Amino acid sequence: MKTGKIIKVSGPLVVAGGMDEANIYDMVRVGNAGLIGEIIEMRDDRASIQVYEETTGIGPGDPVVTTGEPLSIELGPGLIESMFDGIQRPLDAIEKATNSPFLKKGVSVKSLNRERLWEFVPTAKVGDIVEAGDVIGTVQETAVVLHKIMVPFGVKGAIKEIKAGEFTVIETVCVVETEKGPKDLMLMQKWPARRGRPFAKKMKPEAPMVTGQRVIDTFFPIAKGGAAAVPGPFGAGKTVVQHAIAKWGDSEIVVYVGCGERGNEMTDVVNEFPELIDPKTGESLMKRTVLIANTSNMPVAAREACIYTGITISEYFRDMGYAVSIMADSTSRWAEALREMSGRLEEMPGDEGYPAYLGSRLADYYERAGKVTCLGTDGREGSITAIGAVSPPGGDISEPVSQATLRIVKVFWGLDAQLAYKRHFPSINWLNSYSLYEDTIGTWMNQEVASDWAELRQNAMSILQEESALDEIVRLVGIEALSERDRLKLEVAKSIREDYLQQNAFHEIDTYSSLAKQYKMLKLILLFSSEAERALDAGVYLDKILKLDDVRDKVARSKYIHEDEISKMDNIAEELKAEIDTLIKVGGVQNA
Ligand code: ADP
Ligand code: MG
């Protein structure tokens, strides 16, 4: 193979000449150490290469060799429970080998372990006609993940041979007789990271991905197969929200991409996730999680690649028919990597120095989310729900990354510095956040949870909106100017905020609320509202109603009721009605 030569080195960008045999997006080996890089621009025989490792020590004249292959992801058993860097090098293997989280430069490690044996159980048999996406067998990858071995894209024919037993990921388990001759299938397949994996059909997401976070599920729900952005300034709670969704979201596979944030956040994930016991399976959350880490102390170029690595792995599990969720924390750090490379390429800068293609690159990522009918003759369905944190400088979302993201995603959870400052968590601002899935999911909730779900939600939201208008009046003319009814509204709004929207991610019970619990809680809060109005109608003073401390306290504390005991809320409702009845009996004649 012909070798090119380095002309110039600029940080993570290397320009090489004599590269006429190479193509854009080829992976290359740079310098004598063979640093790993990827061609991101070709002009005649000149290649601009983003190098995924520190480029100190290489210089003009050093050799560059193309591998002739794009950045490809290894897909097969061994993904789950692994932690990879941005270009899918396994970090734990590196740490064990070198006692440091960094690879020796130019060392190439295989993404998937080549020695480990997996028990392959064929589900197809000799003579079966198979095509891309058909499942030929399974591997029990972890206690909770049944890894389906699928016929790779482009392969079609009759199975000539298929073997049960223990295999490494690169041993042949099945031979398919194709038009072009026999094709050996292994447990592993490869896919270029920057290209979406094919599926049969994209579908409209209808069901929610239940997160157990009340403000999300009730007010700003995300569909299974949807995309959401979480913008917020430093310390507003982006990471905590993403962790909570990873932990509690009802997806079968979690891909967590730690992108350019501080290393200790990834350490939190690595320490916490294995200890988290999944209530559904009784197993550790890691048993269904893949981690991708490119923290702020790792080379910047690999940060650009990490979200493609993450989404490719997500697609692979989607293709098996699973509901996958992918979190990226933070897409702003990713965009900064993009901006840095663009600057070094001397491209024409767009808004705030970001390249003009920022929006289309973000779309490349988010548009790979969705609910699909998978390839394969069994018509199974899978989904990817994508959630991206955005960290706009100073929290001002008029900046380019936030704006470009909001044009693509359908859910916006706007984190608010003031709420976080008041320790209202999750600090999702209920007045400016939105979900474009609200109507579809409202219909689903009415069918699956309770027929008045959407109505309750709407009532609660109107009260919150009225609160902000009333607050304005109070600021101008004082609380005395308000009618008793409006003062009641303020009380109810406060209860919705404090007893419902606020949810402590670190409290054993409060950290997760099922939809059934969310429904009962909201119903109880709104029952207080309607019962209090009934009392006002009967002539009871508001002050008397507000002094029902005991039962009001029970309403406020209903978030701490264990999932198994949510019927206790029915008793609280009865108690509330009885207390109001008593008030009406003794106090309703106050005007007489
Ligand atoms: P960001 O990623 O936006 O910088 P974090 O997610 O790290 O912010 O949150 C900062 C801090 O806010 C957390 O360490 C925690 O103390 C608090 N916090 C955020 N969300 C919650 C929550 N849901 N419950 C309790 N505390 C929270
Ligand atoms: Mg964070």
Side-chain angles (χ1 to χ4, degrees):
M1 178 162 292
K2 213 177 124 202
T3 307
K5 284 212 179 331
I6 296 180
I7 296 172
K8 146 179 140 175
V9 179
S10 157
L13 180 78
V14 164
V15 180
M19 298 292 292
D20 39 343
E21 282 178 14
N23 293 305
I24 187 147
Y25 296 131
D26 277 0
M27 296 299 279
V28 293
R29 292 310 200 117
V30 178
N32 295 313
L35 305 185
I36 300 167
E38 183 185 14
I39 299 179
I40 53 173
E41 192 183 81
M42 280 297 298
R43 271 191 206 145
D44 304 323
D45 74 331
R46 274 193 184 206
S48 296
I49 299 158
Q50 67 176 352
V51 179
Y52 293 126
E53 304 181 82
E54 290 297 336
T55 51
T56 43
I58 60 168
D62 287 357
V64 177
V65 187
T66 174
T67 63
E69 274 186 25
L71 169 62
S72 290
I73 304 301
E74 292 189 355
L75 301 166
L79 287 170
I80 301 286
E81 287 186 281
S82 287
M83 170 143 89
F84 300 106
D85 76 356
I87 53 170
Q88 212 203 2
R89 293 179 294 181
L91 288 170
D92 46 352
I94 297 162
E95 262 187 272
K96 267 180 220 135
T98 62
N99 231 337
S100 137
F102 300 104
L103 269 179
K104 246 176 74 192
K105 287 202 277 187
V107 170
S108 98
V109 271
K110 301 291 183 202
S111 303
L112 294 181
N113 186 311
R114 295 292 193 267
E115 273 98 56
R116 184 159 172 190
L117 292 170
W118 299 96
E119 175 86 36
F120 174 67
V121 180
T123 53
K125 54 184 191 313
V126 172
D128 286 356
I129 307 290
V130 291
E131 60 179 55
D134 281 340
V135 176
I136 55 166
T138 58
V139 166
Q140 191 70 49
E141 183 171 1
T142 67
V144 293
V145 176
L146 187 68
H147 196 114
K148 298 177 187 164
I149 306 301
M150 297 171 286
V151 175
F153 195 61
V155 176
K156 186 174 180 173
I159 294 182
K160 220 173 103 182
E161 199 188 323
I162 187 162
K163 299 182 271 194
E166 295 206 318
F167 302 93
T168 67
V169 291
I170 49 168
E171 285 174 294
T172 298
V173 296
C174 175
V175 181
V176 176
E177 193 60 57
T178 72
E179 272 181 1
K180 289 176 240 149
K183 171 89 185 157
D184 293 346
L185 304 189
M186 318 176 285
L187 297 183
M188 182 184 100
Q189 50 177 282
K190 281 190 173 189
W191 190 262
R194 295 186 188 276
R195 189 142 35 100
R197 283 174 59 85
F199 47 81
K201 201 175 95 196
K202 204 152 202 169
M203 290 183 297
K204 198 170 164 261
E206 272 161 4
M209 178 174 81
V210 180
T211 66
Q213 311 304 301
R214 295 185 291 267
V215 58
I216 293 178
D217 294 342
T218 303
F219 292 101
F220 311 108
I222 176 153
K224 261 193 186 132
V230 202
F234 178 76
K238 299 178 293 294
T239 301
V240 174
V241 167
Q242 298 220 42
H243 284 198
I245 297 175
K247 289 173 197 168
W248 302 114
D250 67 338
S251 60
E252 290 156 301
I253 306 287
V254 175
V255 177
Y256 197 94
V257 185
C259 181
E261 293 288 327
R262 286 160 300 150
N264 61 345
E265 294 193 345
M266 221 51 209
T267 317
D268 286 350
V269 173
V270 173
N271 292 337
E272 264 181 42
F273 282 24
E275 279 173 21
L276 251 145
I277 302 303
D278 192 333
K280 282 166 288 186
T281 61
E283 291 283 342
S284 143
L285 177 60
M286 272 314 285
K287 301 278 177 203
R288 55 188 183 85
T289 300
V290 185
L291 300 177
I292 317 283
N294 183 273
T295 47
S296 49
N297 53 352
M298 292 160 83
V300 67
R303 194 188 297 170
E304 193 274 331
C306 68
I307 68 168
Y308 301 102
T309 301
I311 197 88
T312 304
I313 292 172
S314 304
E315 285 175 335
Y316 175 64
F317 283 102
R318 170 206 69 190
D319 292 344
M320 294 180 204
Y322 290 126
V324 182
S325 59
I326 176 168
M327 318 307 141
D329 189 9
S330 141
T331 58
S332 296
R333 303 282 103 81
W334 168 85
E336 284 161 17
L338 202 66
R339 174 167 68 182
E340 174 167 349
M341 292 313 293
S342 169
R344 289 184 192 275
L345 284 169
E346 292 167 16
E347 291 172 337
M348 175 95 80
D351 218 359
E352 290 185 24
Y354 289 102
Y357 48 79
L358 169 69
S360 68
R361 289 290 172 83
L362 274 168
D364 284 347
Y365 167 68
Y366 283 109
E367 282 168 4
R368 288 168 73 173
K371 183 178 166 194
V372 304
T373 307
C374 307
L375 286 187
T377 38
D378 65 358
R380 61 189 182 272
E381 293 176 0
S383 65
I384 298 176
T385 309
I387 295 155
V390 188
S391 4
D396 176 5
I397 61 158
S398 65
E399 55 85 47
V401 183
S402 303
Q403 288 302 311
T405 306
L406 291 181
R407 276 195 282 276
I408 308 162
V409 302
K410 291 201 160 63
V411 182
F412 167 66
W413 298 318
L415 300 187
D416 189 310
Q418 280 185 342
L419 289 174
Y421 179 74
K422 287 189 228 157
R423 304 211 59 79
H424 173 116
F425 289 118
S427 69
I428 296 176
N429 184 325
W430 54 91
L431 295 177
N432 67 9
S433 297
Y434 60 79
S435 164
L436 301 183
Y437 301 111
E438 184 194 316
D439 288 345
T440 332
I441 292 180
T443 309
W444 187 94
M445 296 286 198
N446 283 351
Q447 279 161 11
E448 304 291 327
V449 186
S451 56
D452 56 345
W453 175 284
E455 189 190 333
L456 280 186
R457 178 205 177 276
Q458 188 50 51
N459 287 347
M461 187 44 88
S462 322
I463 294 171
L464 288 170
Q465 283 160 348
E466 281 175 71
E467 179 192 37
S468 86
L470 289 172
D471 272 348
E472 200 55 36
I473 297 175
V474 171
R475 241 192 311 277
L476 292 172
V477 289
I479 186 99
E480 296 75 24
L482 293 188
S483 67
E484 293 217 314
R485 250 157 238 282
D486 282 343
R487 278 174 55 207
L488 171 64
K489 225 162 237 160
L490 287 181
E491 284 293 328
V492 176
K494 180 164 175 264
S495 172
I496 297 172
R497 282 189 284 108
E498 294 181 358
D499 310 332
Y500 195 79
L501 295 181
Q502 288 190 19
Q503 186 169 2
N504 185 347
F506 305 106
H507 184 280
E508 193 192 342
I509 293 174
D510 198 25
T511 181
Y512 173 85
S513 293
S514 65
L515 293 181
K517 181 173 171 181
Q518 295 187 31
Y519 172 73
K520 278 190 186 290
M521 282 177 68
L522 196 57
K523 187 124 179 143
L524 196 52
I525 292 170
L526 293 180
L527 178 73
F528 172 75
S529 172
S530 59
E531 284 295 290
E533 282 192 22
R534 180 164 72 92
L536 288 180
D537 285 344
V540 179
Y541 283 128
L542 179 64
D543 289 345
K544 285 249 166 66
I545 303 168
L546 298 183
K547 278 201 190 99
L548 294 175
D549 290 336
D550 193 40
V551 69
R552 290 190 69 204
D553 194 50
K554 283 183 186 160
V555 174
R557 299 186 53 79
S558 62
K559 59 168 99 175
Y560 304 119
I561 294 176
H562 195 279
E563 287 289 338
D564 295 338
E565 298 179 334
I566 55 174
S567 62
K568 278 186 178 169
M569 279 188 254
D570 301 337
N571 305 339
I572 303 175
E574 289 314 312
E575 196 181 324
L576 175 62
K577 284 186 211 156
E579 295 271 7
I580 295 286
D581 282 342
T582 315
L583 273 190
I584 291 175
K585 230 179 270 159
V586 298
V589 291
Q590 65 194 8
N591 296 329

